[in-house]
Amino acid sequence: MKKKITSSFIIALMIAGITSSSAFATTANGSVVIGDKTFDLAYANDVRNSKEITNAIIEGGAIYVKDFSGNWIDNTTGKIVDASVMPGQGDELTVAQAMNILKTHKGVSNDFNYAEDLYYYTPDDNYLSPTIYSNYKEIKNNYYIFSYADPDGSEADSNLCVNKKTGEIYVIDPSGIFMTLDQKDMRYINSLNPSD
């Protein structure tokens, strides 16, 4: 019976994914909140992640979808709910939520799979330096900073920063560059195919 309910929920999420998205004010549109976990709808609807989504459902908690217009929808009733009743409305993301944003990030290319990377919250051991970054204080105060590595343990030569309010992902590295993760990925792709 539980399997049938879970399967029905996944199908409902797929349908909801066409018109809706997720969670708290700090979470992007196009996400689903299951209990205290937030997932991008594309991630939640990907069959490869069904075990994780099923486990979140089994753990329990309310399920809400935030549509692409910013409306909150109660998954049980299908009705729009007032954002003011949402838990965490206007709060900063937690470190766990920021890490989940990294793991569910869909890169600019299928070549980048952030779900498999290893992330370490490193607020004091990172490439952020006041002598290199003119916006040092802003980054230090407004972003969670993570070191990360490939699944084989090879550490990256940069850090990922998740904005505590918006969930936007940025990159810092020893050269002083502060750019979005998608911009970094595009630079890499362009370096593989230099124009003549």
Side-chain angles (χ1 to χ4, degrees), residues 27-47:
T27 304
N29 291 350
S31 302
V32 60
V33 175
I34 304 170
D36 63 352
K37 296 180 178 144
T38 304
F39 303 95
D40 178 271
L41 281 173
Y43 182 88
N45 289 326
D46 190 326
V47 176

Side-chain angles (χ1 to χ4, degrees), residues 150-161:
D150 291 336
D152 66 3
S154 302
E155 288 195 29
D157 61 351
S158 60
N159 296 115
L160 297 178
C161 306

